[in-house]
Amino acid sequence: AVSRTRILATGGASHNKKILQVLSDVFNVPVYTIDTANSACLGSAYRAIHGLVAETNVPLADVVKLAPQPRLAVTPTPGAEEV
């Protein structure tokens, strides 16, 4: 089975490809970013909305379905997990 694990990087460091590569290599998963200003604040807002509707069993995926789609920034360097 293919792992659906991934990292969504936000904020200023998400523009630094070298930092994203280290993150990807350490956790051995792809790293995605979104082309939205203040994306960390946006993520917090979606989590707040999800908290407000938690009693209705609305999944987070439904809350964020209209959010900007993340784009793949980096993938793990082959063999990095062995280091």
Side-chain angles (χ1 to χ4, degrees):
V2 174
S3 174
R4 295 183 58 200
T5 301
R6 63 183 179 172
I7 293 173
L8 300 175
T10 62
S14 69
H15 299 287
N16 185 319
K17 196 131 183 161
K18 291 181 181 185
I19 290 175
L20 297 178
Q21 189 63 60
V22 169
L23 193 58
S24 180
D25 291 347
V26 167
F27 290 99
N28 196 34
V29 295
V31 175
Y32 290 77
T33 60
I34 59 173
D35 293 326
T36 300
N38 300 315
S39 57
C41 293
L42 179 63
S44 298
Y46 281 121
R47 289 299 291 171
I49 292 168
H50 185 236
L52 288 173
V53 299
E55 296 175 348
T56 62
N57 294 320
V58 173
L60 180 61
D62 286 350
V63 173
V64 299
K65 66 184 170 189
L66 298 178
Q69 288 298 308
R71 66 173 176 77
L72 180 62
V74 295
T75 56
T77 301
E81 74 278 2
E82 295 176 16
V83 174

